[in-house]
Amino acid sequence: MSSAVLKIGPYALPNNLVLAPMAGVTDRPFRQLCRRLGAGLAVSEMVSSNSALWGSRQTLRRMDHAGEPEPVSIQIAGADPAMMAEAARFNVERGAQIIDINMGCPARKVCNVMAGSALLRDEALVGRILDAVVAAVDVPVTLKIRTGWDPQHRNAVSVARIAEQAGVQALAVHGRTRACGYRGEAEYKTIRRIKETVAIPVIANGDIGSPQKAREVLDCTGADAVMIGRAAQGRPWIFREMQHYLSTGKLLPEPEVEEIRKIMKHHLQNLYDFYGEYTGVRVARKHIAWYSKGHRDGAAFRQQVNRVETSAEQLRMVDAFFDSVAETRGLAA
Ligand SMILES: Cc1cc2nc3c(=O)[nH]c(=O)nc-3n(C[C@H](O)[C@H](O)[C@H](O)COP(=O)(O)O)c2cc1C
């Protein structure tokens, strides 16, 4: 069965696979990599609606979209309608082609100031924020939510209606309540109810870690697309695998060691170029750890590579690690 494309406002995406926004992970190099390997859309890390932070180096970096394929989707977070509207305008002026609103992130930093998924508690405020942002910009506005505040307050269907009425053009739903954190299995039934309730595209999210799971979730929720977060960490080719499976029903073979090495080294080089040597080496550490997971002697390698301070040394160690992975695979073949 082929997978239908996802349309958000004027943008017909190449497929229905979306990279989830992840603070500290979905920076420009990672978004570009995932798009190249098959993601139809890659949402940025969130940018605060607090304008006092817009001059910071971190926020300026988050607003840098040079060379990114269209459509550029930027996530904003905050709880004040006027500030959110201003943040949306500011980001559109800097190249955002879709504004995504975060009402799905439980991060303490966000929830303490009554933003992210904490907003789900106050539906009237949700409505005011969405109205203000939709009115502020002429690009599509999308929304990311959880299924509710806690298991006793699963109000996502009601929030979805508010979003549709406000003119939101797509809704991503993480199948957990705010109180559930990342515990338990994502529940897809609420996502199905949302899909049955609203006409705007619904993107299902939560625990989708394989091509088969993507198919299963699309079928059981009726959603228009799936959003992948943690499963793309260290496995950006998962989008290619999903795309292939959704359109042919067949699984692609695992990438060869040499391809993984090539993808990873290109990714690391992009991180060094984007962040500069000092920060680049540090940001690269977590990606190296994810890529090396599941490979023999990965734990020992991670311990060693985390101590390295230069990009040249990091790349040299990565090469040595993959030489030994290739050698072991060669012996096993
Ligand atoms: C490290 C990390 C950072 C995240 N940052 C954000 C964020 O900035 N905005 C947001 O809406 N969700 C954020 N999330 C939630 C993800 O977008 C996604 O909803 C969640 O991880 C569930 O999907 P998954 O099971 O595919 O990982 C983050 C998740 C992780 C693991």
Side-chain angles (χ1 to χ4, degrees), residues 18-26 43-47 62 75-77 100-107 110 116-117 143-146 172-176 181-182 186 188 204-209 227-233 286 290:
V18 180
L19 171 67
M22 288 182 283
V25 182
T26 53
V43 184
S44 78
E45 308 170 86
M46 66 184 150
V47 173
R62 288 182 174 191
Q75 188 182 67
I76 57 173
D100 185 51
I101 299 178
N102 178 353
M103 293 188 193
C105 184
V110 174
S117 48
L143 174 66
K144 181 157 175 286
I145 60 173
R146 286 191 168 224
V173 188
H174 179 188
R176 286 192 175 84
Y182 286 90
Y188 303 112
N205 171 236
D207 297 344
I208 303 170
M227 175 179 270
I228 319 301
R230 289 163 299 170
Q233 295 171 348
K286 66 184 160 212
W290 287 324

Side-chain angles (χ1 to χ4, degrees), residues 101 103 123 126-131 134 141-145 155-173 193-202 224:
I101 299 178
M103 293 188 193
E123 292 185 10
V126 167
R128 287 202 304 279
I129 292 174
L130 299 181
D131 286 343
V134 170
V141 174
T142 60
L143 174 66
K144 181 157 175 286
I145 60 173
N155 61 341
V157 172
S158 161
V159 171
R161 268 201 210 97
I162 295 170
E164 183 171 46
Q165 271 163 18
V168 163
Q169 304 217 26
L171 183 67
V173 188
R193 280 181 38 230
I194 292 170
K195 177 61 195 165
E196 288 164 355
T197 306
V198 293
I200 54 176
V202 172
D224 302 272

Side-chain angles (χ1 to χ4, degrees), residues 74-100:
I74 302 306
Q75 188 182 67
I76 57 173
D80 179 88
M83 283 166 77
M84 288 288 275
E86 188 50 35
R89 265 193 297 268
F90 188 77
N91 277 282
V92 169
E93 279 162 19
R94 275 150 193 82
Q97 293 164 313
I98 295 176
I99 292 292
D100 185 51

